[in-house]
Amino acid sequence: MIRLENLHKSFQVEDRRVSALDGVSLEVAAGEVFGIIGHSGAGKSTLIRCLNLLERPDSGRVWLDEVELTALGKSALQAERQRIGMVFQHFNLLASRTVAGNVAFPLELAGERDRAAIRTRVDELLELVGLSGQRDKYPAQLSGGQKQRVGIARALANHPKLLLCDEATSALDPQTTQSILDLLADINRRLNLTIVLITHEMEVIRRICDRVAVLDGGRIVEIGPVTQVFLYPQHSTTRSFLQDPLHQQELEEAIRHEKAAGRSRIVRLTFTGETTYAPHLHQVAQASGALFSILQGHVGKIKDTPYGQLVVELHGEPAEVATARALFEARGLHCEDI
Amino acid sequence: MDWDWTAIDWAEIGFATQETLIMLGFALLFTVLAGLPLGVALFLSGPRQLLAHRGLYALLSFVVNVLRSLPFIILLIVMIPVTVWLVGTSIGVTGAIPPLVVGAAPFFARLVESALREVDRGVIEAAQAMGASTWQIVTRVLLPEALPGLIAGVTVTAVALVSYTAMSGVIGGGGLGDLAIRFGYQRFQTEVMVVTVLVLLGIVQLLQSLGDRLVLYFSRK
């Protein structure tokens, strides 16, 4: 669907050059929701702007399906851009146009002159984003969440193949964020639209993305399915997004306390999918004779996949503990010593 | 001093007011026609803008600054040969219009430039992302979004033009300024001076409140 090959981009900041992208390559499949996460300054804004060439990379190529965007002339690029929707953090609506006027705008740019056709399409889109009653209001009369819905309707107007979301929920409160993410997930499912989004919030990735790339210092330091990256983070940047510092500190204290008492068989159990809600601990305890105390635990969902992660301490004879471990592995739980 | 209001020739004043309005109308029309594209060109060629071009911006900026730094009274005189070449005469209402336009257009262009700079960059970026051409961005994003600012600019320019039209009386430009100079100053008819000032004041008030209303009407923020 979209393919980036070895993108480099640097900016002149006063008297030195700052590298924003340092050899980024990635591929996003059709129908996928792909997230890019990074701290501010990691280069994620530059990266998403390179996908529709609002920012031109110094070197490297961008492919959209079979078209190399980086090789296109001005007007050919403008035509391709009409097939890429984009949603912005600060909405970027035209203040001088009504809701309907804003949604009609990309249609007009694309040369649609039939007023009835525009009206039909606009109504359809406003229906999709749940704003049918607001068509004649001006952006200044809308809430942040409503503005973003207009932004999304506008981005979808020309039936894009790809939707880019530039921190689309960062300016919204948690509840509104939730409803916008639900809307994006719904659009992805219903229209089978490929979505690439950037964010600095792990929650956004966890809720709607299929795959994620972690960006740090202009490089991708980790990439993979969200369940993989989220549950088994390899890079310190990824961990920094996942770990709540307070929880981490509390866990470390618990571990220190137990180890000081001579109890050191502490493991992290990770499980996903169907078996998440099964009574693993109870059944394994019964079968092995080992006992457990829970130091920390969390059960939740990554997009549609349930998962659980528990840090437990094993009590019992070495043989019992070994049996317990074997039983966990047999049940498909990932068992990691801490 | 005795005020003798009966000596005022009201027909003369009415005629002069009409001349002033004609000068103002045509001068404003041509000022907008010339200043708007110039202002758009200034904006687009400016640093970090859509068609950023250091050389072009420097040139346009220099021309605008030169014309703006020239006192209007000097411009009136310097322009005489050009005016004659353009409209065939350098006096009367017709002769006054070219210097008025040359004096006001650069001023208006700067107002246009600053009104366009007020347009949110994000909105321009969004239009680019939708595949808008530069022409579409100018006509469908920049100008409509900056409309209240542009109307305010036209208002300020119109008010400035009122005082310029009065000054053009010096070179026999016709209108209220001309009347004030010939009767009020040269013939010591202070009453005529007072009346012309009051009429000018009325015109300015009218223009300003009309402009303010339009700005309010088109503001959506």
Side-chain angles (χ1 to χ4, degrees), chain A residues 25-334:
Chain A
S25 299
L26 63 83
E27 202 163 336
V28 177
E32 186 172 37
V33 182
F34 189 89
I36 298 164
I37 190 166
H39 293 290
S40 55
K44 54 192 193 304
S45 266
T46 308
L47 181 54
I48 201 161
R49 278 174 171 65
C50 280
L51 296 189
N52 57 3
L53 298 187
L54 282 179
E55 203 83 73
R56 215 166 246 284
D58 299 334
S59 67
R61 299 166 191 231
V62 179
W63 295 78
L64 179 65
D65 287 333
E66 295 315 307
V67 183
E68 190 195 336
L69 298 183
T70 34
L72 295 179
K74 206 172 172 180
S75 61
L77 175 62
Q78 281 163 1
E80 277 303 316
R81 278 177 176 166
Q82 289 172 359
R83 315 267 286 143
I84 306 174
M86 190 163 190
V87 178
F88 301 86
Q89 179 176 5
H90 298 294
F91 326 124
N92 297 350
L93 302 177
L94 290 146
S96 59
R97 282 176 175 241
T98 60
V99 167
N102 268 285
V103 179
F105 186 61
L107 300 169
E108 291 168 21
L109 289 181
E112 178 63 76
R113 293 186 193 285
D114 181 353
R115 284 174 161 264
I118 290 180
R119 206 190 151 87
T120 311
R121 180 71 184 139
V122 168
D123 287 344
E124 210 173 276
L125 289 159
L126 291 179
E127 176 79 40
L128 177 71
V129 300
L131 281 182
S132 297
Q134 321 284 332
R135 57 170 298 134
D136 295 321
K137 286 195 175 164
Y138 284 92
Q141 299 167 282
L142 302 178
S143 69
Q146 289 174 322
K147 284 183 199 169
Q148 198 56 294
R149 283 169 189 272
V150 179
I152 292 169
R154 177 176 76 173
L156 298 176
N158 280 321
H159 303 280
K161 309 183 228 185
L162 171 66
L163 182 66
L164 306 175
C165 301
D166 179 4
E167 297 272 11
T169 58
S170 300
L172 304 174
D173 63 56
Q175 265 188 328
T176 316
T177 294
Q178 172 132 355
S179 74
I180 293 293
L181 291 179
D182 288 343
L183 175 63
L184 289 174
D186 181 52
I187 287 165
N188 165 251
R189 266 191 300 268
R190 272 211 264 174
L191 310 177
N192 196 32
L193 178 68
T194 313
I195 299 180
V196 175
L197 62 86
I198 64 165
T199 182
H200 62 271
E201 296 168 317
M202 200 63 205
E203 272 307 293
V204 173
I205 302 284
R206 186 166 79 89
R207 301 229 2 193
I208 65 165
C209 291
D210 299 306
R211 286 200 304 144
V212 61
V214 182
L215 206 61
D216 186 40
R219 292 167 177 272
I220 292 178
V221 294
E222 201 160 345
I223 184 167
V226 178
T227 43
Q228 186 67 33
V229 174
F230 198 86
L231 296 173
Y232 311 109
Q234 302 298 314
H235 195 272
S236 59
T237 306
T238 316
R239 291 206 185 95
S240 72
F241 278 112
L242 292 170
Q243 287 163 348
D244 176 343
L246 184 63
H247 283 178
Q248 187 60 22
Q249 198 187 331
E250 286 166 354
L251 178 62
E252 278 164 16
E253 270 171 32
I255 292 172
R256 213 176 309 123
H257 178 265
E258 289 305 296
K259 286 194 173 167
R263 298 187 286 267
S264 58
R265 287 177 301 212
I266 298 168
V267 293
R268 177 181 278 120
L269 299 171
T270 307
F271 39 102
T272 55
E274 298 287 299
T275 65
T276 300
Y277 307 122
H280 297 294
L281 288 186
H282 183 75
Q283 289 173 345
V284 170
Q286 276 192 328
S288 67
L291 297 174
F292 304 92
S293 49
I294 299 173
L295 302 184
Q296 201 168 54
H298 184 74
V299 177
K301 253 183 166 186
I302 295 171
K303 201 172 184 183
D304 303 319
T305 310
Y307 77 97
Q309 202 157 46
L310 296 175
V311 178
V312 299
E313 190 186 329
L314 303 174
H315 305 271
E317 297 303 317
E320 291 170 339
V321 170
T323 312
R325 284 175 153 273
L327 287 170
F328 280 131
E329 302 285 355
R331 286 168 157 260
L333 274 68
H334 183 265

